[in-house]
Amino acid sequence: METRRLTGDDWRTLRDVRLAALADAPYAYGSTLAVEQAFDESTWRDRIDTTPWVLAVRNAENAGLVDMYLSRPETPMLIAMWVSPVHRGRGVGDALVAEILRWAGEKSWSRVLLRVADGNAAARRLFLRHGFTPTGRRAPLESDPGVRTEILSRAL
């Protein structure tokens, strides 16, 4: 398995994997499949240019995706984490989290935040395994305010 940071020329890959994620787990994201299906090439390229999307490739297949967002100055937030159902349980999530933490470390940030949707126990276990801890804070999911998310934090 390998992970790699996407560049503007990878916009089709980002589009395809991101749309697969939104179709597979619509309850887990702040956006929706309908919204992102309408994005054009320039929107996908802009997304890659502004944040460090990381793709995992396993057995020559696109196996997972993760992104980082600056929620506040100097406070990056891991977002958009997804592993393809056929690759779950095979270390893809671990590789993605490790790479995004490596990127945050390169930027000399001291902490990374993330949100995990209630009921997503597998993702929560993954993040706890990588040293994230509950902050006691919660927030509604933008795409469905009826879904609550837990905010986790990890020092670097």
Side-chain angles (χ1 to χ4, degrees), residues 5-22 29-54 65-70 79-81 103:
R5 297 174 194 178
L6 298 179
T7 67
D9 290 337
D10 296 314
W11 72 269
R12 286 181 188 89
T13 299
L14 173 59
R15 177 197 62 202
D16 294 349
V17 178
R18 176 67 173 159
L19 295 180
L22 290 165
Y29 301 103
S31 187
T32 66
L33 180 61
V35 166
E36 295 196 20
Q37 282 176 323
F39 290 173
D40 62 9
E41 177 182 342
S42 68
T43 302
W44 290 109
R45 285 181 179 275
D46 287 347
R47 292 182 91 185
I48 290 173
D49 289 342
T50 57
T51 60
W53 289 90
V54 176
L65 189 67
V66 69
D67 191 20
M68 186 72 80
Y69 165 75
L70 278 175
I79 62 169
M81 177 81 174
W103 179 84

Side-chain angles (χ1 to χ4, degrees), residues 99-109 112 156:
E99 180 59 26
I100 210 76
L101 291 174
R102 186 172 15 265
W103 179 84
E106 290 171 8
K107 299 293 185 182
S108 299
W109 283 316
V112 173
L156 296 177

